[in-house]
Amino acid sequence: MLRGGFSFRNDVLWTHAFVVSLALVQALGFAQVVAAAEELPREAALPLALANKAAAAAQEKCKQDGYRVTVAVVDRAGVLKVLMRGDGAGPHTTNSSSKKAYTAASLRRPTSELAELVAKTPALQGLRDIDDKVLILGGGLPIEIGGEIVGAIGVGGAPGSHLDDACAQAGLDSIGAVPKVAPPAGK
């Protein structure tokens, strides 16, 4: 027997019991954390590499057609991932492309479709004022991959929203996203 009324054997048993108890508490706590984590929603994310590829393809399509544009790609929450301003693109195009991408991501629809809807339904005019980042003008397309909208692309600077749409669609095509704009007649 050691001083204080404890024996070496009792100290070892107590230490062993403590370690086992601690391990059980940690295991049970970990199981609760795992169970809680399994309940969290899972969302697909748009990787930077795909965002860059889509922006470059949209930029190249517009360049081939003779348009100087800016292309913006945002994530599902509308947060900017890529902004590509082409040579000679007007300074206003950085803002318009970003707002078109934000609008398509946040409202989960092509901005041309939204513009038509607002024009046909005066009661929806308020959509224009819902947020200072919203721009309801063609050229913004949601990026849908695997059944989920993972972001959006916006193009600004071509002489017509249908041309901005065509360039944005080239960006979607380059990454295998679901088409949002019908191909031009004859293709």
Side-chain angles (χ1 to χ4, degrees):
M1 194 168 273
L2 299 173
R3 284 185 283 171
F6 292 101
S7 71
F8 179 74
R9 179 172 162 72
N10 285 342
D11 283 347
V12 169
L13 289 175
W14 184 86
T15 302
H16 182 64
F18 177 76
V19 169
V20 169
S21 297
L22 184 60
L24 282 172
V25 168
Q26 287 178 331
L28 293 175
F30 181 72
Q32 289 176 334
V33 169
V34 169
E38 289 173 356
E39 293 178 21
L40 292 174
R42 302 284 182 227
E43 296 179 338
L46 178 64
L48 181 59
L50 287 183
N52 277 319
K53 185 176 182 179
Q59 186 66 250
E60 185 59 30
K61 165 75 171 133
C62 270
K63 183 178 175 184
Q64 287 173 357
D65 292 344
Y67 312 130
R68 296 181 239 181
V69 301
T70 298
V71 179
V73 178
V74 298
D75 66 13
R76 71 183 320 117
V79 177
L80 187 64
K81 286 192 77 94
V82 175
L83 183 67
M84 223 178 256
R85 182 172 170 257
D87 295 336
H92 64 284
T93 63
T94 58
N95 198 26
S96 67
S97 63
S98 297
K99 285 184 171 191
K100 290 176 186 183
Y102 174 85
T103 303
S106 65
L107 298 177
R108 305 212 174 311
R109 297 177 100 166
T111 55
S112 290
E113 184 181 305
L114 291 166
E116 288 176 27
L117 192 60
V118 167
K120 291 178 186 175
T121 313
L124 295 177
Q125 288 291 324
L127 283 176
R128 294 183 185 281
D129 302 321
I130 198 168
D131 187 321
D132 64 345
K133 295 184 212 171
V134 168
L135 180 59
I136 299 182
L137 183 65
L141 301 176
I143 300 172
E144 183 180 343
I145 299 174
E148 284 191 65
I149 295 189
V150 295
I153 186 169
V155 177
S161 60
H162 64 291
L163 301 171
D164 286 335
D165 278 341
C167 295
Q169 184 59 56
L172 295 185
D173 294 344
S174 75
I175 60 171
V178 174
K180 298 295 178 186
V181 175
K187 285 197 173 189

